[in-house]
Amino acid sequence: MSLLRPSPASAVKKLTREQEVLRQFMMDFQSRLWFTYRKDLARIEPSFYTCDSGWGCMMRTGQSLLAQAFVQVLLGREWRAHYHRRSSSRRRYIEILDWFVDDPEHPYSIHRIAKAGLALDKRIGEWFGPSTVAHAFQ
């Protein structure tokens, strides 16, 4: 058994209280969505940027928060990546992930966020603050 890659509780030998707490924490932590800088993106038009390093951190934080909110609302707070193998919840999870793919056609891509920033007087490649990212999602 590995506490870093938890097994279903029924398949695990008796754990100490501390091990069980750690197992539950790891399942929760590993089920969180995290978006970070990328390079070699499709060009973020109308700019020539193909990377969001150095300016996209708050956009990525916003993506992470919004994606996690979608998971909690649509799949439930107790949803875990390792245990929910039902095809319907798996399909929904993949659908949520698809909304954030870094491609101009996807609704919450870095491309769409950066482009929405143009209407908020932010240039592509310019750092967005938290409220600008929130407004870009609207």
Side-chain angles (χ1 to χ4, degrees):
M1 177 197 82
S2 167
L3 293 176
L4 298 179
R5 195 123 179 86
S7 303
S10 61
V12 185
K13 294 179 183 170
K14 184 77 172 150
L15 300 176
T16 66
R17 182 182 175 292
E18 291 80 15
Q19 288 173 322
E20 180 59 25
V21 168
L22 179 59
R23 187 179 76 82
Q24 292 291 331
F25 170 79
M26 292 305 296
M27 286 176 21
D28 189 55
F29 184 79
Q30 292 172 352
S31 296
R32 299 288 166 221
L33 296 174
W34 176 48
F35 298 94
T36 189
Y37 297 126
R38 299 262 323 275
K39 63 180 183 174
D40 300 323
L41 300 167
R43 191 167 67 102
I44 303 173
E45 296 180 6
S47 77
F48 291 97
Y49 283 100
T50 59
C51 177
D52 64 328
S53 182
W55 57 272
C57 57
M58 192 55 62
M59 293 180 206
R60 296 303 187 173
T61 299
Q63 284 179 315
S64 297
L65 290 169
L66 184 59
Q68 193 57 47
F70 280 132
V71 168
Q72 287 191 15
V73 169
L74 300 174
L75 296 172
R77 173 65 182 93
E78 299 305 316
W79 191 89
R80 298 291 180 268
H82 293 293
Y83 294 125
H84 289 84
R85 304 271 186 229
R86 283 193 351 251
S87 60
S88 61
S89 67
R90 198 79 179 146
R91 274 195 308 273
R92 177 61 103 179
Y93 182 70
I94 290 168
E95 180 183 14
I96 293 167
L97 292 177
D98 189 61
W99 296 339
F100 295 87
V101 168
D102 286 325
D103 179 279
E105 301 302 314
H106 295 256
Y108 302 108
S109 68
I110 194 81
H111 301 76
R112 290 270 182 101
I113 301 167
K115 226 173 192 172
L118 293 173
L120 300 168
D121 295 324
K122 292 288 188 178
R123 294 184 318 272
I124 295 173
E126 185 177 350
W127 183 81
F128 285 28
S131 61
T132 304
V133 172
H135 286 287
F137 280 132
Q138 291 181 336

